[in-house]
Short mmCIF file of all heavy atoms in Angstrom, two decimals:
data_model
loop_
_atom_site.label_atom_id
_atom_site.label_comp_id
_atom_site.label_asym_id
_atom_site.label_seq_id
_atom_site.Cartn_x
_atom_site.Cartn_y
_atom_site.Cartn_z
N GLN A 715 45.93 37.74 22.96
CA GLN A 715 46.81 37.66 24.11
C GLN A 715 48.24 37.50 23.65
O GLN A 715 48.58 36.55 22.95
CB GLN A 715 46.42 36.49 25.01
CG GLN A 715 47.16 36.47 26.34
CD GLN A 715 46.52 35.56 27.35
OE1 GLN A 715 45.82 34.61 27.00
NE2 GLN A 715 46.73 35.84 28.62
N ALA A 716 49.05 38.46 24.03
CA ALA A 716 50.48 38.42 23.76
C ALA A 716 51.20 37.80 24.95
O ALA A 716 50.69 37.82 26.07
CB ALA A 716 51.00 39.83 23.49
N PRO A 717 52.39 37.25 24.74
CA PRO A 717 53.12 36.63 25.85
C PRO A 717 53.33 37.59 27.01
O PRO A 717 53.77 38.72 26.82
CB PRO A 717 54.45 36.23 25.21
CG PRO A 717 54.13 36.04 23.77
CD PRO A 717 53.10 37.09 23.46
N GLY A 718 53.00 37.13 28.20
CA GLY A 718 53.18 37.93 29.40
C GLY A 718 52.17 39.03 29.61
O GLY A 718 52.31 39.81 30.55
N LYS A 719 51.14 39.09 28.76
CA LYS A 719 50.14 40.14 28.88
C LYS A 719 48.76 39.54 29.09
O LYS A 719 48.52 38.36 28.82
CB LYS A 719 50.14 41.02 27.63
CG LYS A 719 51.42 41.80 27.43
CD LYS A 719 51.31 42.77 26.27
CE LYS A 719 52.56 43.60 26.12
NZ LYS A 719 52.45 44.56 24.98
N GLU A 720 47.85 40.37 29.58
CA GLU A 720 46.47 39.95 29.79
C GLU A 720 45.76 39.76 28.46
O GLU A 720 46.13 40.35 27.45
CB GLU A 720 45.72 40.99 30.62
CG GLU A 720 46.21 41.14 32.04
CD GLU A 720 45.38 42.14 32.82
OE1 GLU A 720 44.78 43.05 32.19
OE2 GLU A 720 45.32 42.02 34.05
N ARG A 721 44.74 38.93 28.50
CA ARG A 721 43.89 38.78 27.34
C ARG A 721 43.15 40.10 27.08
O ARG A 721 42.53 40.66 27.98
CB ARG A 721 42.91 37.63 27.53
CG ARG A 721 42.14 37.28 26.27
CD ARG A 721 41.56 35.88 26.38
NE ARG A 721 42.61 34.86 26.43
CZ ARG A 721 42.39 33.56 26.29
NH1 ARG A 721 41.16 33.11 26.10
NH2 ARG A 721 43.40 32.70 26.37
N GLU A 722 43.20 40.57 25.85
CA GLU A 722 42.70 41.89 25.50
C GLU A 722 41.52 41.78 24.55
O GLU A 722 41.57 41.05 23.55
CB GLU A 722 43.82 42.71 24.84
CG GLU A 722 43.40 44.09 24.38
CD GLU A 722 44.48 44.80 23.59
OE1 GLU A 722 45.41 44.13 23.11
OE2 GLU A 722 44.40 46.04 23.47
N PHE A 723 40.47 42.53 24.84
CA PHE A 723 39.31 42.59 23.96
C PHE A 723 39.68 43.28 22.66
O PHE A 723 40.32 44.34 22.66
CB PHE A 723 38.17 43.34 24.65
CG PHE A 723 37.01 43.60 23.75
CD1 PHE A 723 36.10 42.60 23.45
CD2 PHE A 723 36.81 44.85 23.19
CE1 PHE A 723 35.02 42.82 22.62
CE2 PHE A 723 35.73 45.09 22.36
CZ PHE A 723 34.84 44.07 22.08
N VAL A 724 39.24 42.71 21.55
CA VAL A 724 39.52 43.27 20.24
C VAL A 724 38.26 43.81 19.58
O VAL A 724 38.21 44.96 19.16
CB VAL A 724 40.20 42.23 19.33
CG1 VAL A 724 40.39 42.78 17.92
CG2 VAL A 724 41.54 41.80 19.92
N ALA A 725 37.23 42.97 19.47
CA ALA A 725 36.02 43.38 18.77
C ALA A 725 34.90 42.41 19.10
O ALA A 725 35.14 41.27 19.48
CB ALA A 725 36.25 43.43 17.25
N ALA A 726 33.67 42.88 18.93
CA ALA A 726 32.49 42.05 19.16
C ALA A 726 31.43 42.40 18.13
O ALA A 726 31.39 43.52 17.61
CB ALA A 726 31.93 42.26 20.57
N ILE A 727 30.55 41.45 17.87
CA ILE A 727 29.45 41.65 16.94
C ILE A 727 28.22 40.95 17.47
O ILE A 727 28.30 39.84 18.02
CB ILE A 727 29.84 41.19 15.52
CG1 ILE A 727 28.80 41.62 14.49
CG2 ILE A 727 30.07 39.68 15.49
CD1 ILE A 727 29.30 41.49 13.06
N SER A 728 27.07 41.58 17.31
CA SER A 728 25.82 41.04 17.82
C SER A 728 25.34 39.89 16.96
O SER A 728 25.91 39.58 15.91
CB SER A 728 24.75 42.13 17.89
OG SER A 728 24.48 42.66 16.60
N ARG A 729 24.27 39.25 17.42
CA ARG A 729 23.80 38.04 16.76
C ARG A 729 23.45 38.24 15.29
O ARG A 729 23.77 37.38 14.45
CB ARG A 729 22.58 37.48 17.51
CG ARG A 729 22.91 36.93 18.89
CD ARG A 729 21.67 36.36 19.56
NE ARG A 729 20.68 37.39 19.85
CZ ARG A 729 20.65 38.11 20.95
NH1 ARG A 729 21.56 37.89 21.91
NH2 ARG A 729 19.73 39.03 21.12
N ASP A 730 22.83 39.36 14.98
CA ASP A 730 22.44 39.62 13.59
C ASP A 730 23.42 40.54 12.87
O ASP A 730 23.17 40.92 11.72
CB ASP A 730 21.04 40.19 13.52
CG ASP A 730 20.91 41.55 14.19
OD1 ASP A 730 21.89 42.02 14.79
OD2 ASP A 730 19.81 42.13 14.12
N GLY A 731 24.51 40.90 13.53
CA GLY A 731 25.51 41.75 12.92
C GLY A 731 25.20 43.23 12.93
O GLY A 731 25.97 44.01 12.38
N SER A 732 24.11 43.63 13.57
CA SER A 732 23.69 45.02 13.53
C SER A 732 24.47 45.92 14.48
O SER A 732 24.49 47.13 14.30
CB SER A 732 22.20 45.14 13.81
OG SER A 732 21.89 44.68 15.12
N ILE A 733 25.11 45.34 15.49
CA ILE A 733 25.87 46.10 16.46
C ILE A 733 27.30 45.59 16.48
O ILE A 733 27.53 44.37 16.57
CB ILE A 733 25.26 46.01 17.87
CG1 ILE A 733 23.79 46.43 17.86
CG2 ILE A 733 26.04 46.88 18.85
CD1 ILE A 733 23.08 46.16 19.17
N ARG A 734 28.24 46.51 16.39
CA ARG A 734 29.65 46.14 16.45
C ARG A 734 30.36 47.02 17.46
O ARG A 734 30.08 48.21 17.59
CB ARG A 734 30.30 46.26 15.07
CG ARG A 734 29.79 45.21 14.09
CD ARG A 734 30.56 45.22 12.80
NE ARG A 734 30.20 46.36 11.97
CZ ARG A 734 30.54 46.47 10.69
NH1 ARG A 734 31.25 45.51 10.11
NH2 ARG A 734 30.17 47.54 10.00
N LEU A 735 31.30 46.42 18.15
CA LEU A 735 32.09 47.09 19.16
C LEU A 735 33.55 46.76 18.91
O LEU A 735 33.90 45.60 18.67
CB LEU A 735 31.67 46.63 20.56
CG LEU A 735 32.34 47.25 21.78
CD1 LEU A 735 31.99 48.73 21.87
CD2 LEU A 735 31.91 46.51 23.03
N THR A 736 34.41 47.76 18.96
CA THR A 736 35.82 47.58 18.66
C THR A 736 36.67 48.17 19.78
O THR A 736 36.38 49.26 20.28
CB THR A 736 36.19 48.25 17.33
OG1 THR A 736 35.28 47.83 16.31
CG2 THR A 736 37.60 47.88 16.91
N GLY A 737 37.69 47.45 20.17
CA GLY A 737 38.59 47.94 21.19
C GLY A 737 39.36 49.17 20.74
O GLY A 737 39.65 49.35 19.55
N ASP A 738 39.68 50.01 21.70
CA ASP A 738 40.33 51.28 21.38
C ASP A 738 41.65 51.09 20.64
O ASP A 738 41.99 51.89 19.76
CB ASP A 738 40.58 52.09 22.66
CG ASP A 738 39.30 52.60 23.29
OD1 ASP A 738 38.26 52.64 22.60
OD2 ASP A 738 39.34 52.96 24.48
N SER A 739 42.40 50.07 20.98
CA SER A 739 43.72 49.88 20.40
C SER A 739 43.69 49.49 18.93
O SER A 739 44.71 49.62 18.24
CB SER A 739 44.51 48.84 21.19
OG SER A 739 43.88 47.57 21.13
N VAL A 740 42.54 49.03 18.45
CA VAL A 740 42.44 48.59 17.06
C VAL A 740 41.41 49.37 16.27
O VAL A 740 41.22 49.10 15.08
CB VAL A 740 42.14 47.08 16.97
CG1 VAL A 740 43.20 46.28 17.71
CG2 VAL A 740 40.75 46.77 17.52
N LYS A 741 40.76 50.33 16.90
CA LYS A 741 39.72 51.11 16.24
C LYS A 741 40.28 51.82 15.02
O LYS A 741 41.33 52.45 15.08
CB LYS A 741 39.11 52.09 17.23
CG LYS A 741 37.75 52.63 16.83
CD LYS A 741 37.05 53.27 18.03
CE LYS A 741 36.73 52.23 19.10
NZ LYS A 741 36.03 52.81 20.27
#
């Protein structure tokens, strides 16, 4: 979250690390 902006999704990882998801802006 940058000042004055909405909280933005960056990345996620599943419990065992087998699935990863990355936001478009940082892919």
Side-chain angles (χ1 to χ4, degrees):
Q715 189 164 25
K719 295 186 177 180
E720 294 182 334
R721 189 160 295 192
E722 178 187 18
F723 173 78
V724 175
I727 190 166
S728 61
R729 292 182 294 272
D730 64 356
S732 63
I733 305 171
R734 291 187 285 193
L735 182 66
T736 309
D738 291 342
S739 63
V740 303
K741 199 164 295 181

